[in-house]
């Protein structure tokens, strides 16, 4: 089932003597404990259950020992011991992933990065920060604020998700429209390879020698190795920001405004759309000042120097009016602006307050196809009798249909999955792709052959095997089993009670 | 919306790509000949290597999506002209050659701060594999995390993993105003620190050139800021290269912060892209060695993608 944001596990293992796990007699666990200390390895049922899930709906997770390394050397030790004992490993950040990427299959060893959460160095000359992977996205931006910088990728989950998770999923966020997703903000990654070697991929220089292994690693969903340190680009804060709120009587008009803005050669910092249902939920939740009578609202933001932002804001307002915007409002103060963004970024939290369960989808379509695909999505939901709300990164065509349901209703989950499948097909048919930011994980493996040929998948697997010839790191994800090196059936068939 | 008309054509359905794959074939050493502008990069091609040409032409250009699908053999100059007609440009550097060549060489323009880097510009890549198949990676949209990032792997690969046949590139709107300025008395690091988003800051040890781009009021405002850093005067750029200074032939890749130590003693005459770390110099950069564990991954990659070593034999992106 969809887990509520309140579930996100920022849990740290206690270091008190009282939390000492009972001895197991399992030589693997004993070896892990010898390397990490007793409080660095947890095998109790509660820990394993917690780490068998992430924020997705999938429940086939089955965690083995949960390890909390504090250093890259400890990560190396865990990876080497796991290889010796022929066990798989799964890296984990905050567990906010929505595609099941951090879900351990077949009692994989979970490597939780929560203890590695230091910002190691901020270097404004090179415009980078070296951070450990467990650093929370928003914590980094907060630490950079006094220097006048921020970390540009800003997923809506940024209050809890980790930089390591962002790197693994190549995460995006509202402000990635102008500034690019995580891949554009990672210059180097220190990685423990599946054979236990510690390497640095990429570098602070713009064109490091050799293949762009850093580029291949970002977005690899934890299958190519464990990130232990990242050099991220830091971005200068903009002196001027203009935030516009446009209201529409038709969702289509909002979508057409978005493609009109891009077609006019304007790349705003962000362009986000919310439909009426979600806008109302947000208003009930935070009272951000969104109009609840509009069919859709468009939040558009431009930033930079004063002259340009005024020109662009004016142009966006004009394009909105030409597309029948019923109201165009410029946020008058920093407070008003912050409140609008708070509303947008807590949209999912707002839903969690009112809905028993939700399933958040993630596809991308060409921006010119937004209006048509949205119409189709509403029709699909209606056909399957599930409630759908749309809140999405409209500027880059990244749809996030949110299916709301009560999982206790008989047959409901089947309808939800059927509707989801049709949404994916509709997006592909419009010239789109499977995922814009949540990744493939467990969720979309079965759709990979709808976008890629057997040869394409074979080459993705060759890349994976160059890093992980034994397929021990996060096996059973991304690449469909028929093209993958690991036998994922075997992974899924380990009964949950069995402790191996 | 007619779904049929917009269904993404699988690469395997495209007869032009199929013909290219057939020409690449399944055995014997083979390489693509582009514009030969960077022919010796990463090593000399092994003698006896057959050369083929990649297909040419712009397949689809959708300015409203800011993407262009282009065959790898298309001259960069042709692409540039087609995009300019619709007020757009890409990150590919302006120095002749073909689109495919620019992608597999992977070198960004010295104006990378403004144009973006080649590595961030390639959305989808289609290549002929060592076993003569057409393989696609990435996707047609500006945002995409479906599967592993083969486009980034192919950028800068010097054609050693696959022979690129077609790419989808991100395009960007041309800024309303582009203005080069020059000063003989400016500290280039101060320029980078003071300006918000210069498109280029070049420095040869004495002279600093700055490219300001954007809306006119912003460019004017940044020019006023610059007046506090040095005595800047407007200067014309060379239409062929897009920059106002002749660029030496060899490329150095340094951490941006290391440029402060640059005095020409190692590089000879140079022009440095400040804030980027790229240096174009009279002398070549000494070889950069990969750490053994990184080299091992690279070797396995090459082995997995091209087991017989038939693609661009003699070249190695680690030796550039
Ligand atoms: C309410 C909500 C809103 C969200 N909004 C957005 C959004 O706007 N944009 C967006 O892109 N995503 C969004 N997400 C998805 C999710 O937050 C991101 O994918 C995030 O980057 C995951 O980070 P995490 O630390 O929670 O990683 P986890 O969920 O713990 O792991 C995600 C993946 O990363 C791997 N991983 C984690 N750490 C490492 C490491 N150190 N080394 C190697 N691999 C590692 C895991 O194995 C797994 O495959 C949202 C999720 C929720 C619940």
């Amino acid at each position: 089932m969809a887990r509520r944001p309140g579930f996100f596990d920022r849990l740290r293992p206690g270091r008190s003597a009282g939390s000492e796990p009972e001895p197991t007699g399992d030589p693997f666990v004993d070896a892990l404990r010898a390397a990490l200390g007793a409080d660095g390895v947890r095998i109790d049922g509660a820990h394993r259950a917690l780490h068998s899930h992430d924020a997705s709906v999938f429940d086939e997770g089955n965690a083995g020992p949960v390890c909390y390394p504090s250093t890259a050397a400890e990560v190396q030790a865990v990876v080497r011991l796991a290889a010796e004992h022929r066990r798989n490993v799964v890296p984990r950040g905050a567990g906010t992933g929505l595609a099941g990427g951090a879900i351990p299959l077949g009692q994989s060893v979970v490597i939780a990065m929560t203890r590695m959460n230091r910002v190691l160095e901020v270097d404004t000359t090179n415009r980078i920060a070296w951070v450990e992977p467990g650093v929370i996205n928003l914590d980094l931006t907060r630490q950079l604020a006094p220097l006048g910088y921020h970390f540009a990728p800003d997923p809506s989950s940024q209050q809890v998700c980790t930089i390591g998770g962002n790197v693994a999923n190549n995460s995006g966020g509202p402000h990635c429209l102008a500034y690019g997703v995580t891949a554009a903000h990672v210059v180097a990654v220190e990685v423990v390879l599946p054979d236990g070697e510690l390497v640095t991929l990429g570098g602070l220089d713009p064109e490091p020698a050799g293949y762009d292994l850093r580029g291949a690693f970002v977005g690899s969903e934890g299958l190519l190795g464990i990130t232990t340190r990242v050099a991220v680009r830091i971005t200068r804060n903009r002196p001027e920001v203009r935030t516009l709120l446009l209201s529409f009587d038709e969702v289509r008009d909002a979508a057409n405004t978005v493609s009109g803005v891009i077609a006019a050669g304007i790349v705003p910092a962000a362009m986000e759309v919310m439909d009426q249902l979600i806008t109302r939920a947000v208003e009930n939740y935070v009272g951000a000042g969104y109009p609840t009578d509009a069919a859709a609202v468009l939040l558009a933001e431009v930033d930079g120097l004063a002259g340009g932002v005024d020109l662009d804001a004016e142009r966006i307002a004009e394009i909105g009016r030409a597309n029948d915007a019923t109201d165009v409002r410029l946020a008058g103060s920093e407070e008003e602006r912050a409140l609008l963004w708070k509303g947008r970024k807590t949209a999912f939290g707002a839903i969690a307050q009112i809905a028993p369960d939700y399933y958040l989808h993630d596809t991308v379509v060409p921006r010119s196809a937004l209006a048509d695909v949205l119409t189709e999505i509403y029709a699909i939901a209606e056909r399957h009798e599930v409630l759908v709300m749309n809140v999405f990164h409209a500027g880059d065509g990244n749809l996030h249909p949110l299916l709301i349901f009560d999982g206790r209703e008989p047959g409901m989950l089947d309808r939800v999955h059927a509707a989801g499948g049709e949404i994916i097909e509709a997006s592909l048919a419009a010239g789109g792709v499977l995922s814009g930011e949540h990744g493939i994980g467990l969720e979309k493996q079965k759709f990979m052959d709808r976008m890629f040929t057997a040869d394409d998948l074979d080459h993705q697997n060759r890349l994976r095997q160059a890093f992980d010839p034994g397929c021990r790191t996060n096996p059973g994800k991304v690449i469909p089993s028929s093209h993958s090196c690991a036998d994922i059936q075997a992974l899924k068939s380990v009964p949950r009670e069995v402790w191996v | 919306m007619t779904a049929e008309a917009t269904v993404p054509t699988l690469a395997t359905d495209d007869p032009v790509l199929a013909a290219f794959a057939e020409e690449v074939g399944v055995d014997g050493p083979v390489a693509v000949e582009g514009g030969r502008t960077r022919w010796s990069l990463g090593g000399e091609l092994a003698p006896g290597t057959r050369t083929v040409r990649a297909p040419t032409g712009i397949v689809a250009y959708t300015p409203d999506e800011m993407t262009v699908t282009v065959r790898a053999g298309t001259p960069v100059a042709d692409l540039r002209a087609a995009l300019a007609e619709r007020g757009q440009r890409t990150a590919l550097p302006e120095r002749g050659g073909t689109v495919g060549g620019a992608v597999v060489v992977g070198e960004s323009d010295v104006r990378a701060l403004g144009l973006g880097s080649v590595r961030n510009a390639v959305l989808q890549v289609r290549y002929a594999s060592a076993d003569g198949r057409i393989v696609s990676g990435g996707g047609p949209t500006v945002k995409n995390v479906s599967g592993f990032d083969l486009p980034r792997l192919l950028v800068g690969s010097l054609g050693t993993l696959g022979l690129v046949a077609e790419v989808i590139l991100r395009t960007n709107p041309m800024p309303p105003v582009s203005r080069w300025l020059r000063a003989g008395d400016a500290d280039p690091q101060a320029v980078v620190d003071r300006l918000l988003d210069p498109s280029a800051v070049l420095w040869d040890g004495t002279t600093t050139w700055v490219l300001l781009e954007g809306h006119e009021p912003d460019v004017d405002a940044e020019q006023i800021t610059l007046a506090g850093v040095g005595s800047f005067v407007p200067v014309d750029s060379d239409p062929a290269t897009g920059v106002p200074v002749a660029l030496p032939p060899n490329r150095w890749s340094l951490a941006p912060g290391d440029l402060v130590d640059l005095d020409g003693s190692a590089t000879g005459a140079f022009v440095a892209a400040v804030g980027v770390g790229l240096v174009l110099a009279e002398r070549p950069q000494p070889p950069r060695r990969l750490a053994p564990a990184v080299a091992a991954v690279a070797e396995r990659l090459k082995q997995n993608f091209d087991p017989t070593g038939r693609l661009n034999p003699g070249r190695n992106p680690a030796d550039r």
Side-chain angles (χ1 to χ4, degrees), chain A residues 44-334:
Chain A
D44 54 286
H47 255 87
R48 291 176 50 219
L50 183 63
H51 289 86
S52 293
H53 290 95
D54 60 5
S56 72
V57 296
F58 304 101
D59 60 6
E60 56 254 57
N62 183 4
V66 180
C67 298
Y68 293 90
S70 300
T71 61
E74 289 187 355
V75 175
Q76 288 180 281
V78 174
V79 167
R80 288 194 165 125
L81 283 169
E84 249 169 58
H85 289 80
R86 310 179 66 77
R87 293 287 291 267
N88 301 321
V89 300
V90 177
R92 181 182 184 93
T96 68
L98 290 161
I103 291 181
L105 301 175
Q107 295 205 343
S108 298
V109 178
V110 175
I111 306 184
M113 307 307 292
T114 37
R115 281 188 186 170
M116 296 180 67
N117 62 355
R118 291 174 303 162
V119 173
L120 301 168
E121 183 191 350
V122 176
D123 171 354
T124 52
T125 309
N126 282 307
R127 300 245 169 126
I128 59 108
W130 277 106
V131 304
E132 290 185 326
V135 169
I136 306 287
N137 175 299
L138 191 58
D139 287 351
L140 174 59
T141 282
R142 288 208 177 110
Q143 287 201 39
L144 295 172
L147 299 169
Y149 287 85
H150 66 285
F151 180 54
D154 61 338
S156 306
S157 51
Q158 71 183 139
Q159 300 196 15
V160 271
C161 69
T162 65
I163 303 288
N166 299 164
V167 170
N169 282 357
N170 191 10
S171 299
H175 290 86
C176 291
L177 177 55
Y179 297 104
V181 295
T182 302
H185 300 277
V186 173
V187 301
V189 269
E190 182 189 83
V191 174
V192 174
L193 294 173
D195 62 4
E197 290 281 347
L198 186 70
V199 295
T200 300
L201 309 177
L204 304 193
D205 61 316
E207 290 166 5
Y211 296 121
D212 184 8
L213 300 181
R214 166 208 56 103
F217 185 86
V218 176
S220 62
E221 303 194 38
L223 274 72
L224 302 187
I226 321 282
T227 305
T228 50
R229 226 157 50 107
V230 193
V232 296
R233 247 182 237 296
I234 56 176
T235 304
R236 279 261 285 272
N237 294 344
R238 313 278 115 178
E240 298 289 336
V241 183
R242 302 285 182 273
T243 306
L244 292 155
L245 180 65
L246 297 91
S247 310
F248 300 88
D249 277 343
E250 302 273 349
V251 177
R252 171 169 290 274
D253 295 335
N256 287 335
T257 300
V258 168
S259 44
V261 168
I262 299 292
I266 301 170
V267 183
M271 276 203 285
E272 300 283 310
V273 168
M274 297 197 289
D275 71 8
Q276 186 171 41
L277 282 176
I278 199 124
T279 306
R280 287 186 175 164
V282 163
E283 270 312 290
N284 280 335
Y285 189 49
V286 288
Y290 284 108
T292 50
D293 54 344
V297 295
L298 165 62
L299 189 60
E301 187 160 280
V302 288
D303 61 15
L305 297 167
V309 293
D310 284 336
L311 287 172
D312 283 342
E314 227 166 84
R315 266 304 270 142
I316 293 170
E318 269 168 32
I319 294 167
R321 286 192 199 98
N323 282 287
D324 298 328
T326 52
D327 187 41
V328 178
R329 201 172 101 199
L330 184 69
S333 67
E334 181 52 33

Side-chain angles (χ1 to χ4, degrees), chain A residues 126 205-207 210-211 236 238 262 265 308 312 367-368 376 398 428-429 435 437 455-456 459-460 462 466, chain B residues 1 6 8 65 108 127 133 136 143 145-146 148 160 193 195 197 215 218 251 253-254 256-257 288 300 304 317:
Chain A
N126 282 307
D205 61 316
E207 290 166 5
Y211 296 121
R236 279 261 285 272
R238 313 278 115 178
I262 299 292
D312 283 342
R367 292 169 274 216
S368 55
E376 222 171 316
N398 191 180
L428 289 179
S435 175
E437 51 183 32
D455 287 326
D456 301 345
H459 272 229
Q460 292 191 26
R462 290 176 196 223
Chain B
M1 180 178 60
T6 49
E65 295 297 335
S108 297
Y127 56 92
R133 321 277 296 183
S136 294
K143 191 173 181 186
V145 294
S146 313
F148 291 129
T160 57
D193 292 342
L195 298 179
D197 280 326
H215 286 296
D218 292 350
R251 263 173 113 83
S253 174
L254 303 173
R288 298 169 286 167
R300 281 199 299 269
N304 290 356

